[in-house]
Amino acid sequence: MERKPARLILENGEVLHGISFGADKDSFGEVVFNTGMTGYQEVLTDPSYCGQIVTMTYPLIGNYGINRDDFESIRPYVHGFVVREFADYPSNWRNSSDLEDFLKKYDIPGIAGVDTRKLTRMIRMHGTLKGIITTSQEADEVLIEKVRQSELMHDQVARVSTMRSYRCPADGPNIVLIDYGSKQGILRELLQRKCDVTVVPYNVTAEEIRRINPDGIMLSNGPGDPKDVPEAVETIRELMGEIPLFGICLGHQLFALASGADTEKMKFGHRGSNHPVKDLADGRVYITSQNHGYSVSEASLAGTELELTHVALNDGTVEGLKHSKYPAFSVQYHPEASPGPEDSGYLFDRFVEMMVKNKGVKQHA
Amino acid sequence: MPKRKDIKKILVIGSGPIVIGQAAEFDYAGTQACQALKEEGMEVILVNSNPATIMTDTAMADRVYIEPLTAEFVSRIIRQEQPDGLLPTLGGQTGLNLAVELAEQGVLEQEGVELLGTNLSSIQKAEDRELFRALMKEIGEPVPESEIIHTVDEAIEFAESIGYPVIVRPAYTLGGTGGGIADDRESLIEIVSNGLKYSPINQCLIEKSLLGYKEIEYEVMRDSSGNCIVVCNMENIDPVGVHTGDSIVVAPSQTLSDVEYQMLRSASLKIIRSLEIEGGCNVQFALDPNSYQYYVIEVNPRVSRSSALASKATGYPIAKMAAKIAIGYTMDELKNPITGQTYACFEPALDYVVTKIPRWPFDKFTGANRKLGTQMKATGEVMAIGRSLEESLLKAVRSLEIGAYHLELEDVEQITAEELDQRLTAADDERIFLVAEAFRRGYDLDRIHNLTGIDPFFLYKIEGIIKLEQTIKAGRNNDQIILPALLKQAKQFGFTDRKIAELTSSSEEEIKTLRKQWQIIPVFKMVDTCAAEFPAQTPYYYSSYDEENEHESSDKKKIVVLGSGPIRIGQGIEFDYATVHAVWAIKEAGYEAVIINNNPETVSTDFNTSDRLYFEPLYLEDVLHVIEAEQPEGVIVQFGGQTAINLADGLARAGVKILGTDLAHIDAAEDREKFEQLLESLNIDRPPGKTVTSVNEAVKAANDLGYPVLVRPSYVLGGRAMEIVYNEEELLHYMEQAVRVNPQHPVLIDRYLLGTEVEVDAIADGENVLIPGIMEHIERAGVHSGDSIAVYPPQSLSDEMREQLVNMTEKIARSLEIKGLVNIQYVIYHNKVYVLEVNPRSSRTVPFLSKVTGIPMANVATKAVLGVTLPEQGYENGLYPEDRYVSVKVPVFSFAKLRRVDTTLGPEMKSTGEVMGRDRNLAKALYKGLIASGMKIPMLGTMLVTVADKDKEEATSIIRGFYDLGFKLLATEGTAAFLQEKGMHVTRVNKLREGSPNILDVIRTGEAQVVINTLTKGKKPERDGFRIRREAVENEVVCLTSLDTARALLHVLETISFAAEALPDRQSKERKEMAQYV
Ligand SMILES: Nc1ncnc2c1ncn2[C@@H]1O[C@H](COP(=O)(O)OP(=O)(O)O)[C@@H](O)[C@H]1O
Ligand SMILES: Nc1ncnc2c1ncn2[C@@H]1O[C@H](COP(=O)(O)OP(=O)(O)O)[C@@H](O)[C@H]1O
Ligand SMILES: [Mg+2]
Ligand SMILES: [Mg+2]
């Protein structure tokens, strides 16, 4: 089958040529790269990528197809997918459909045949870039200009968070999971630990949560700039100290803001399954799965009640925090893995222990 | 944890000679380790018996011992040196086993030496199948249903309880020695009785068959504070059942979802933690293609062939890091040397596909059993990198140097349908080509999948290559050769111009022109461990038909050195040794050294050996692309063995400057006719010979020359298909069986001169000629120079003879205007010197000679090539003063791994490696050499003799020698009678056809410790001689097929043991005297 030519046009004026696959439509977004060699299905369905055009640095994508189990949310939120080569003949016992059908089904455009390493190097040097995937005939200049004019979205969390609360009953600790764009993985890990989880929308109020009277609050991952969701920060600030907290990724950043620290945009962020993080308590290094474009600025911790617990081994950025008074901690990376190393799952156990202990304390009081 | 302060002096054990299953990768690992330790200010003591290694260069360690790797010798070194620690995990299985032996003997404890990296119990837990299984059970990692057995009966009992087929795997052996798959009772009995012999602790594992599972490997590292990382995972294209060393392997895994990837990753980390390994470790899994079910196949608690591959595939220097971890560092304290700014505690991300294909010795051993199984047979491997699997695979194929420049074999279309199906089912060395052939014949993917068990993902890629061939063919029409888009796709698929030209019935030149015209040229991308997330500092490149070129040239003058490709019989690690030294010399001389090579096992492809490394096929088209990118002063071809020499012509024709001896003169040495003219003009003799183009001519020529004659086809190098024939019958047989003779493929017939063979390596600068040394061979000409024991300095050559050799060598070197190295083989016959061949390049003996003479030959030669004369380098003309010590180079064979290969020494090279023995006199040197080569020297015992009639007379004195030393003699009828005549007591044993107990039983039951067997004419395997020799190999009985070797062994024994002799008879005289007084 003859495929349409497609272009990826970037704000820095670069134009990358390739062929169109998946949905045939133009799509705008922030272009980022992920260095994971496996896990494209999880990446595509991780709500944290909402509004972004993702390129995988590994050149062969789609090898093992798409299966029913490895979704991190009910649908993909990426705005586009850029690969060197996609597999039109995937092979894996769980495979039920292929990458292209999947993208078509969810109306997501892809571009293949691109020198993704060139693109990655560009992003490394310039930082993340606004870009558009197009199959149109429009002149490069016109589109470059269009890309430069267009604004990145700020309402991703609202788009990906659940509309209504829902509950997954179990006989363990009662947890409220605030969904800023939560990956299934977080829920999975909590349920595995017998937690009784109530998933609530990002804009839930402190009052609503108090009514549920949970043993702990899980702040999920999510897309974009934490400063785009001040209401979430507000809720957390109110409940801190009152109910044990565990924040992941965006949840970690919101927790930091709520505690008076500040966040900043990174040049091109951390996205992949091979990021070493040092636990300052015991000096151990964990290989972690990461996906974030913003980070908590270490300098801003001064004067807050936050303690730095984890740092990125390579660039020293903040990867973990805990509150010096309250039962509350957070990590920038993804202990729920999927995709990525399972080394940090123990953090969920820590969370559960924290809640149990806290309960004990309460009862004695 | 920072570096340990309590450790200052470390003993590193190398892996000894190159054998199948343990090749150059351990020189790479050992060299990296030594460098890393010295970097840290450690005092490094190195022991290795293999002189052909970079690690045994005196510069690599504070003190280097080239001694046998036996507990006895190493203990001696330990007592002398008193090291604080011993690093056992870098010398392969040899180093590991030796360390265990030393520990168990208590030597380490006595001398207060600590095992670094991985402690004894961890090693045992990983290596001893029983302990290992116990541990796996304990930590809940699945291992296939199996049972440890110590006898054949136990084996049968268990096998029949779980049902055939079953896998037999001996404990503590390497490359699967003695193992195999048993489909029924007989094969089980055979394999097990073998396996028990090979296992140093007489233990075998009988195991449920996992044939057809995916075979996946993980390379893992751990440090003392428990940090663990996965450096790389790899997927075997050949499913479980074919040894990983014999499998085509890709990195990273291609068909594993993240869930499966992480499942096996977590398992690997769990295992390395439970073993408390501090350093590198290799974990092999079998994964059910249809479920999450997996099994742990084995763990190697050390660096391995796979870790070398993983290092080259990712850029992550496992051995270097392992060494630093062993002295206390944790990975978060170590920088990733590739980026220079990130840390070693991370997991490399690849943005390319790596393919490894093994290189098998079946081109040499045409009679060998080519089937692939659980026992490794490959001597080496090639690796290729591409942005697509197709590109990576096809690059690897043409790196193999088996004459294939595409996924296609010559004459493959002649294979019958049923043969094709058989060979797709039972893997052999050519299966990947047969898969392609099957697609060409229209087999559908499912059928091939059912036959081979290869994952559809890979089959689909191969099918894609075949489909593209057809599209290109179809696209050809009168007005255009090929469309630009299609040409581009073909190049991105890794097709060579040659193949495209073939498909479009055009010429390679035309295709090249079109590419240039359409700007379809490869770019060079970097291997940087991090998929471009961080800037990389180490220029390690591969080519690809992609968009962005990352190659950064500098304005410094550059010299390109061509490597020698995969390790194979006849072209081993010796050539990598020379290549590396050339690179270093070039740097010293102030140029940038650029290397092109495709062998992942070697030091030359270590990213910090050269200024720029190109991991590319040594195929003209690919080499030219690198040269176009680099614009070097010129290319040096004399260190990369025949591989590089063979490229010289094409390079020159493309206008590339060949540095060193020029093409015309290379040709004058390589081309038989020109060479003969040259010798004539110098009036130097060569064995009288003729070139014939028909059987009749051959017969006539042989009669004129007089038998015995040595015959070989002119179109293959390296002693292949070379035979000594003693009469017309044999000649005719040879002409029919061994070669196809016709005007295009003439056959060369030489008078066979049964003389002393001498080898000389010389260095020349175009005018001055330095001869570092002369080597005399123990075995007479007729045994390939690579297979005979070489002695330096010569022991039996008169000064006049030395004179003569020196003069001839100088004459030849001068007339060939040699710039750099030249290797000349002579035979001395009736006190007359004849030249056998001249190799205008570095040779197999360069490392050995460099080490024993102390002249860094490759270095000096390179400088000479770059225009620094020998006098300027402080060397004089002529023969370099000889060492007062005697050094021997003893060949090492891998016959145990190669079923059905005849072990007789002849003009075809068969050895895979070498060791060195050096001492005050020949006997001592030989003793060390033979021990180091793995020979169990029998001090006493029984000797089985079966010598061909032609050798009987000569054999007498040798056999008498052993007899006088107290050896009991066994012989078959003829020989027995003959020896009795000579007055020796001989016990007669039955020939095969005389029924058992026969000669084979004698060997099998270990009744004889030495066998002397000389070749009775004809090579047909069913001959008794062949069976005897094989039986000896399978039973690890010393088997001498050359009387010269036997004489040498006798010499050794005579000097180290005593003969029992009665006093001469004086009694009668005494009696007379007494009588007088009575
Ligand atoms: N249970 C099994 N069934 C089938 N093949 C097996 C089994 N176990 C091992 N093998 C094959 O045998 C090869 C060699 O086994 P391994 O334990 O790795 O020995 P070695 O120490 O020689 O590497 C493996 O690479 C695998 O392909
Ligand atoms: N005319 C000859 N007489 C005796 N032995 C010979 C003769 N020609 C070759 N040989 C033996 O065969 C071996 C291989 O021959 P050579 O020409 O060196 O081939 P290669 O290229 O394999 O080194 C030599 O090492 C020598 O032992
Ligand atoms: Mg193995
Ligand atoms: Mg030779």
Side-chain angles (χ1 to χ4, degrees):
Chain A
M1 161 185 81
E2 259 315 311
R3 292 186 172 275
K4 263 198 181 170
R7 286 171 296 167
L8 171 63
I9 291 165
L10 301 164
E11 63 179 311
N12 65 350
E14 289 278 351
V15 178
L16 294 145
H17 294 267
I19 52 164
S20 158
F21 80 113
D24 175 4
K25 72 167 198 186
D26 291 10
S27 177
F28 168 81
E30 179 185 33
V31 185
V32 299
F33 66 82
N34 180 299
T35 60
M37 295 181 285
T38 52
Y40 54 84
Q41 183 173 346
E42 292 86 339
V43 166
L44 283 168
T45 55
D46 174 350
S48 300
Y49 285 101
C50 178
Q52 295 178 320
I53 292 174
V54 180
T55 184
M56 303 299 288
T57 58
Y58 187 64
L60 276 60
I61 298 300
N63 300 6
Y64 51 85
I66 300 286
N67 61 60
R68 287 178 15 257
D69 320 335
D70 299 349
F71 289 98
E72 282 305 309
S73 64
I74 47 161
R75 57 155 296 135
Y77 291 96
V78 301
H79 276 200
F81 204 42
V82 184
V83 300
R84 179 77 190 77
E85 173 187 334
F86 68 93
D88 50 7
Y89 192 90
S91 167
N92 186 281
W93 60 284
R94 292 190 303 152
N95 160 44
S96 55
S97 89
D98 68 38
L99 179 59
E100 173 154 46
D101 291 347
F102 176 74
L103 293 179
K104 280 214 178 93
K105 197 178 299 161
Y106 291 99
D107 198 34
I108 295 166
I111 175 171
V114 170
D115 185 341
T116 45
R117 182 171 166 90
K118 175 183 182 181
L119 176 58
T120 304
R121 280 160 51 88
M122 230 164 2
I123 294 170
R124 179 183 90 214
M125 290 178 243
H126 303 65
T128 49
L129 293 154
K130 291 189 290 180
I132 183 168
I133 295 179
T134 179
T135 54
S136 72
Q137 304 305 320
E138 252 177 302
D140 292 346
E141 303 66 36
V142 182
L143 289 168
I144 293 170
E145 205 34 50
K146 199 161 144 204
V147 172
R148 290 190 174 135
Q149 298 315 325
S150 42
E151 274 296 314
L152 289 172
M153 41 164 63
H154 290 283
D155 60 345
Q156 299 102 308
V157 171
R159 291 167 178 252
V160 299
S161 176
T162 176
M163 297 297 160
R164 296 177 297 97
S165 306
Y166 60 92
R167 179 160 175 228
C168 314
D171 50 18
N174 181 315
I175 290 179
V176 164
L177 166 56
I178 306 183
D179 175 12
Y180 305 114
S182 182
K183 284 168 65 188
Q184 278 302 314
I186 296 180
L187 190 56
R188 184 190 64 230
E189 292 295 324
L190 293 173
L191 296 177
Q192 265 170 20
R193 290 165 177 76
K194 305 267 178 304
C195 296
D196 178 318
V197 184
T198 309
V199 184
V200 301
Y202 77 102
N203 53 1
V204 62
T205 64
E207 250 335 292
E208 291 167 307
I209 291 182
R210 286 201 185 89
R211 272 189 237 121
I212 300 168
N213 179 30
D215 303 316
I217 301 175
M218 178 87 236
L219 310 173
S220 85
N221 64 296
D225 182 346
K227 291 173 183 169
D228 288 340
V229 276
E231 56 271 61
V233 177
E234 201 33 58
T235 309
I236 297 170
R237 189 179 292 119
E238 273 195 50
L239 296 171
M240 254 189 335
E242 190 178 321
I243 307 169
L245 288 176
F246 177 22
I248 291 176
C249 199
L250 183 69
H252 152 85
Q253 293 162 4
L254 294 168
F255 168 62
L257 289 175
S259 314
D262 194 13
T263 58
E264 60 202 358
K265 190 167 175 40
M266 304 168 83
K267 190 175 180 193
F268 56 86
H270 292 171
R271 292 178 189 83
S273 303
N274 65 344
H275 290 268
V277 166
K278 189 172 204 137
D279 181 336
L280 297 173
D282 59 6
R284 276 285 294 279
V285 176
Y286 298 88
I287 304 300
T288 68
S289 171
Q290 300 202 9
N291 169 20
H292 60 105
Y294 292 82
S295 67
V296 176
S297 86
E298 186 176 354
S300 74
L301 296 179
T304 69
E305 290 176 313
L306 293 175
E307 288 172 19
L308 182 62
T309 59
H310 296 75
V311 295
L313 187 60
N314 284 335
D315 62 13
T317 52
V318 174
E319 290 288 349
L321 296 168
K322 87 178 209 288
H323 199 285
S324 51
K325 294 212 184 61
Y326 308 141
F329 70 104
S330 66
V331 290
Q332 179 62 74
Y333 50 96
H334 293 274
E336 78 279 9
S338 58
E342 298 156 345
D343 304 7
S344 302
Y346 71 96
L347 288 173
F348 290 97
D349 303 322
R350 200 173 280 179
F351 180 41
V352 172
E353 287 156 24
M354 186 171 87
M355 289 183 289
V356 174
K357 191 148 141 289
N358 181 265
K359 231 177 172 171
V361 175
K362 273 197 193 146
Q363 281 154 357
H364 297 304
Chain B
M1 231 171 302
K3 180 173 81 187
R4 285 176 57 171
K5 295 273 168 294
D6 56 331
I7 295 200
K8 302 203 162 29
K9 193 173 186 180
I10 297 180
L11 175 67
V12 176
I13 303 182
S15 65
I18 305 292
V19 289
I20 288 175
Q22 195 162 268
E25 62 267 21
F26 296 105
D27 186 29
Y28 164 59
T31 302
Q32 265 199 355
C34 292
Q35 284 167 335
L37 295 175
K38 291 190 79 173
E39 235 171 66
E40 297 300 333
M42 295 283 163
E43 185 178 356
V44 180
I45 311 303
L46 176 80
V47 55
N48 190 355
S49 56
N50 184 349
T53 50
I54 292 291
M55 76 189 297
T56 50
D57 278 347
T58 45
M60 282 297 140
D62 294 273
R63 253 168 332 289
V64 174
Y65 291 85
I66 301 187
E67 298 288 350
L69 291 176
T70 63
E72 183 198 349
F73 279 91
V74 176
S75 318
R76 211 170 280 152
I77 295 169
I78 290 175
R79 294 204 177 82
Q80 281 172 33
E81 292 286 350
Q82 293 294 320
D84 306 308
L86 184 161
L87 200 47
T89 51
L90 294 149
Q93 199 65 46
T94 305
L96 206 60
N97 292 355
L98 187 50
V100 170
E101 203 178 335
L102 290 165
E104 283 169 346
Q105 288 182 5
V107 178
L108 300 184
E109 205 178 344
Q110 279 165 29
E111 306 299 323
V113 184
E114 179 183 343
L115 268 186
L116 299 175
T118 301
N119 65 37
L120 184 61
S121 76
S122 303
I123 296 175
Q124 287 162 334
K125 277 194 211 131
E127 291 287 316
D128 180 307
R129 307 248 180 222
E130 205 151 355
L131 296 173
F132 180 66
R133 298 173 51 72
L135 180 67
M136 290 304 105
K137 290 227 160 64
E138 185 186 316
I139 64 172
E141 286 299 328
V143 285
E145 201 179 334
S146 72
E147 187 150 293
I148 308 287
I149 58 95
H150 299 84
T151 70
V152 176
D153 298 343
E154 286 172 31
I156 295 171
E157 189 180 324
F158 178 70
E160 311 203 327
S161 75
I162 62 166
Y164 297 98
V166 294
I167 304 303
V168 180
R169 297 198 283 127
Y172 283 97
T173 69
L174 161 128
T177 311
I181 302 175
D183 305 309
D184 50 33
R185 193 185 274 225
E186 301 98 84
S187 56
L188 182 72
I189 296 174
E190 188 202 329
I191 299 172
V192 170
S193 34
N194 238 300
L196 290 173
K197 282 197 211 76
Y198 281 110
S199 167
I201 58 169
N202 304 74
Q203 187 195 86
C204 278
L205 183 79
I206 307 296
E207 190 167 85
K208 166 191 161 67
S209 164
L210 299 173
L211 295 173
Y213 276 44
K214 293 181 183 182
E215 186 154 13
I216 311 284
E217 288 186 88
Y218 277 71
E219 291 301 321
V220 215
M221 298 203 78
R222 177 180 174 277
D223 64 29
S224 55
S225 56
N227 300 322
C228 293
I229 62 156
V230 166
V231 174
C232 181
N233 90 331
M234 299 177 260
E235 178 171 6
N236 293 11
I237 289 184
D238 302 279
V240 172
V242 176
H243 194 283
T244 43
D246 276 351
S247 296
I248 299 177
V249 174
V250 294
S253 62
Q254 301 296 323
T255 68
L256 267 55
S257 68
D258 189 64
V259 176
E260 294 155 311
Y261 180 102
Q262 301 304 340
M263 171 178 77
L264 297 183
R265 178 185 177 278
S266 299
S268 311
L269 299 193
K270 200 157 143 207
I271 291 169
I272 194 175
R273 285 205 174 94
S274 67
L275 286 169
E276 296 176 323
I277 287 164
E278 291 173 20
C281 173
N282 158 266
V283 185
Q284 293 167 26
F285 294 102
L287 174 65
D288 180 353
N290 301 309
S291 78
Y292 285 120
Q293 177 63 59
Y294 70 87
Y295 296 99
V296 180
I297 292 178
E298 73 152 358
V299 167
N300 294 305
R302 51 173 175 88
V303 302
S304 61
R305 176 184 55 259
S306 301
S307 68
L309 181 61
S311 293
K312 301 292 168 72
T314 59
Y316 191 101
I318 294 174
K320 184 188 179 119
M321 294 304 150
K324 299 214 172 188
I325 288 170
I327 55 171
Y329 283 105
T330 53
M331 286 184 278
D332 56 310
E333 297 169 326
L334 300 167
K335 278 258 152 59
N336 169 357
I338 288 248
T339 62
Q341 48 166 291
T342 59
Y343 287 85
C345 195
F346 87 117
E347 301 193 347
L350 284 60
D351 57 4
Y352 44 81
V353 183
V354 171
T355 305
K356 164 223 129 180
I357 306 183
R359 177 66 148 83
W360 289 277
F362 303 128
D363 52 344
K364 286 261 185 221
F365 299 134
T366 40
N369 175 355
R370 303 174 85 116
K371 290 238 174 318
L372 304 179
T374 62
Q375 180 169 352
M376 181 172 168
K377 292 178 175 179
T379 54
E381 60 192 32
V382 298
M383 179 182 110
I385 312 176
R387 290 276 283 166
S388 71
L389 194 136
E390 297 85 349
E391 183 179 47
S392 154
L393 177 66
L394 288 180
K395 280 169 96 179
V397 164
R398 62 179 179 268
S399 299
L400 284 170
E401 289 176 64
I402 55 173
Y405 51 93
H406 190 68
L407 203 51
E408 191 164 44
L409 285 181
E410 228 181 299
D411 308 336
V412 71
E413 60 282 352
Q414 283 158 24
I415 294 176
T416 64
E418 53 274 33
E419 185 189 349
L420 184 59
D421 288 14
Q422 281 164 15
R423 294 181 58 193
L424 285 169
T425 315
D428 62 30
D429 56 310
E430 295 177 335
R431 179 158 77 170
I432 192 83
F433 294 94
L434 298 180
V435 167
E437 174 63 12
F439 277 118
R440 288 193 190 94
R441 293 191 191 183
Y443 283 40
D444 69 21
L445 195 151
D446 292 341
R447 177 165 171 207
I448 300 177
H449 170 64
N450 294 333
L451 289 168
T452 59
I454 297 174
D455 191 284
F457 176 84
F458 299 110
L459 294 177
Y460 182 74
K461 293 285 178 191
I462 295 173
E463 185 179 25
I465 292 173
I466 308 308
K467 285 205 176 122
L468 186 59
E469 289 172 8
Q470 291 152 356
T471 319
I472 294 171
K473 239 197 178 104
R476 168 62 153 141
N477 60 41
N478 306 340
D479 39 69
Q480 116 249 327
I481 294 177
I482 186 170
L483 291 167
L486 195 55
L487 180 53
K488 178 153 192 212
Q489 193 192 358
K491 295 312 281 184
Q492 289 185 328
F493 264 50
F495 282 44
T496 55
D497 288 352
R498 180 170 173 191
K499 185 62 200 175
I500 298 169
E502 228 171 78
L503 291 164
T504 55
S505 44
S506 60
S507 79
E508 212 172 328
E509 265 320 303
E510 285 174 288
I511 299 298
K512 192 169 179 179
T513 324
L514 286 179
R515 282 202 297 108
K516 294 255 146 73
Q517 185 186 325
W518 295 332
Q519 281 301 301
I520 303 173
I521 39 181
V523 296
F524 291 95
K525 301 236 176 238
M526 254 195 213
V527 172
D528 61 8
T529 72
C530 60
E533 185 170 8
F534 308 99
Q537 298 189 330
T538 332
Y540 170 5
Y541 295 105
Y542 66 95
S543 72
S544 175
Y545 284 81
D546 211 337
E547 216 172 292
E548 183 186 45
N549 193 352
E550 293 169 38
H551 171 260
E552 287 161 11
S553 202
S554 76
D555 43 18
K556 279 182 85 182
K557 287 191 150 104
K558 313 167 194 69
I559 307 253
V560 169
V561 180
L562 301 184
S564 55
I567 299 255
R568 68 207 89 163
I569 290 173
Q571 189 165 301
I573 188 175
E574 299 85 356
F575 295 87
D576 200 70
Y577 174 91
T579 305
V580 170
H581 278 275
V583 165
W584 287 342
I586 290 168
K587 286 174 158 179
E588 280 171 34
Y591 296 86
E592 272 184 357
V594 175
I595 180 153
I596 308 176
N597 200 0
N598 53 38
N599 184 340
E601 307 176 318
T602 56
V603 178
S604 69
T605 51
D606 185 342
F607 61 76
N608 55 27
T609 294
S610 55
D611 290 295
R612 274 190 296 290
L613 163 66
Y614 289 84
F615 218 102
E616 289 290 301
L618 287 162
Y619 179 80
L620 188 60
E621 182 183 332
D622 302 277
V623 171
L624 283 172
H625 285 141
V626 174
I627 289 170
E628 275 155 33
E630 281 290 341
Q631 295 299 322
E633 299 302 297
V635 178
I636 300 187
V637 298
Q638 61 177 260
F639 297 106
Q642 212 54 39
T643 301
I645 288 285
N646 294 345
L647 285 164
D649 181 46
L651 290 172
R653 270 198 269 99
V656 179
K657 187 166 192 325
I658 304 294
L659 300 175
T661 312
D662 63 41
L663 193 63
H665 288 99
I666 292 178
D667 198 46
E670 296 266 313
D671 177 290
R672 177 149 164 139
E673 254 155 55
K674 295 188 183 133
F675 182 56
E676 275 167 0
Q677 286 159 14
L678 176 86
L679 290 185
E680 212 136 298
S681 67
L682 301 172
N683 58 65
I684 293 175
D685 296 299
R686 62 173 308 286
K690 291 208 167 65
T691 305
V692 302
T693 56
S694 76
V695 177
N696 295 345
E697 278 182 60
V699 174
K700 183 168 182 322
N703 286 325
D704 301 353
L705 294 166
Y707 290 96
V709 291
L710 191 131
V711 283
R712 68 176 111 174
S714 61
Y715 54 92
V716 280
L717 284 134
R720 259 167 67 191
M722 193 184 309
E723 256 182 61
I724 299 168
V725 299
Y726 288 85
N727 54 43
E728 189 162 326
E729 176 205 346
E730 281 178 43
L731 179 65
L732 292 170
H733 178 266
Y734 175 86
M735 298 304 280
E736 277 139 30
Q737 305 304 316
V739 292
R740 60 172 120 100
V741 56
N742 57 45
Q744 289 70 44
H745 299 119
V747 166
L748 313 179
I749 303 190
D750 290 339
R751 175 98 176 80
Y752 170 49
L753 303 178
L754 227 181
T756 309
E757 187 162 359
V758 170
E759 191 156 3
V760 177
D761 286 295
I763 308 170
D765 58 16
E767 139 179 25
N768 304 290
V769 182
L770 166 67
I771 299 173
I774 300 174
M775 288 155 288
E776 178 182 5
H777 292 178
I778 295 271
E779 290 82 359
R780 267 160 291 192
V783 172
H784 192 282
S785 48
D787 285 354
S788 43
I789 300 175
V791 182
Y792 166 89
Q795 301 295 297
S796 78
L797 299 188
S798 64
D799 292 352
E800 301 72 56
M801 192 51 79
R802 281 186 168 75
E803 264 305 307
Q804 227 186 96
L805 287 164
V806 169
N807 293 337
M808 284 192 185
T809 306
E810 287 177 337
K811 264 205 227 159
I812 294 171
R814 289 212 176 85
S815 59
L816 284 175
E817 293 174 33
I818 294 290
K819 287 187 201 57
L821 284 163
V822 63
N823 163 268
I824 309 179
Q825 288 154 33
Y826 298 97
V827 55
I828 302 173
Y829 183 67
H830 295 323
N831 260 300
K832 199 158 174 312
V833 181
Y834 301 78
V835 173
L836 287 181
E837 72 162 353
V838 172
N839 296 311
R841 53 164 171 85
S842 177
S843 77
R844 195 176 299 115
T845 40
V846 161
F848 170 72
L849 211 50
S850 300
K851 268 158 198 172
V852 297
T853 61
I855 301 176
M857 292 167 64
N859 181 298
V860 176
T862 307
K863 301 242 172 88
V865 167
L866 297 176
V868 191
T869 67
L870 290 169
E872 283 166 343
Q873 298 188 55
Y875 293 99
E876 292 163 9
N877 276 288
L879 182 61
Y880 193 73
E882 288 177 347
D883 189 10
R884 39 185 190 72
Y885 270 60
V886 180
S887 303
V888 296
K889 171 175 157 299
V890 181
V892 174
F893 303 82
S894 300
F895 292 134
K897 299 268 168 30
L898 298 163
R899 294 291 157 94
R900 298 218 312 253
V901 167
D902 194 335
T903 68
T904 313
L905 300 185
E908 286 183 42
M909 181 166 168
K910 294 178 176 178
S911 60
T912 51
E914 72 207 39
V915 291
M916 174 171 133
R918 181 167 184 273
D919 214 305
R920 287 190 177 67
N921 60 45
L922 178 61
K924 286 186 159 187
L926 273 172
Y927 177 75
K928 282 185 177 178
L930 293 174
I931 294 266
S933 75
M935 181 186 285
K936 297 209 189 83
I937 294 186
M939 293 299 173
L940 257 189
T942 303
M943 171 178 254
L944 178 64
V945 191
T946 57
V947 287
D949 295 342
K950 63 172 170 29
D951 303 319
K952 285 202 167 64
E953 277 306 332
E954 188 190 347
T956 318
S957 64
I958 301 168
I959 294 161
R960 163 149 303 114
F962 283 96
Y963 183 73
D964 291 344
L965 287 175
F967 275 80
K968 188 163 168 293
L969 300 180
L970 298 177
T972 47
E973 199 175 9
T975 318
F978 180 81
L979 294 175
Q980 251 137 6
E981 226 165 84
K982 301 283 176 184
M984 295 176 245
H985 299 296
V986 188
T987 316
R988 181 173 165 285
V989 291
N990 285 343
K991 291 213 168 105
L992 287 181
R993 73 187 86 81
E994 295 169 347
S996 60
N998 61 31
I999 191 157
L1000 293 190
D1001 304 307
V1002 170
I1003 298 170
R1004 211 175 282 122
T1005 55
E1007 209 179 307
Q1009 289 73 39
V1010 203
V1011 175
I1012 295 189
N1013 170 279
T1014 63
L1015 188 58
T1016 43
K1017 57 183 148 51
K1019 299 182 105 187
K1020 288 185 239 63
E1022 65 276 13
R1023 289 193 167 285
D1024 288 14
F1026 174 83
R1027 308 250 326 253
I1028 294 167
R1029 293 186 289 273
R1030 278 314 307 185
E1031 200 63 36
V1033 175
E1034 320 297 351
N1035 294 277
E1036 289 188 307
V1037 171
V1038 181
C1039 180
L1040 308 167
T1041 63
S1042 154
L1043 292 180
D1044 301 313
T1045 325
R1047 193 181 290 105
L1049 176 61
L1050 175 61
H1051 179 51
V1052 171
L1053 291 175
E1054 276 172 339
T1055 41
I1056 58 175
S1057 51
F1058 307 88
E1061 242 179 83
L1063 286 169
D1065 171 28
R1066 299 200 205 76
Q1067 290 171 357
S1068 46
K1069 189 155 145 282
E1070 285 162 3
R1071 258 189 242 100
K1072 277 197 216 98
E1073 286 168 359
M1074 286 162 67
Q1076 298 173 348
Y1077 304 95
V1078 182

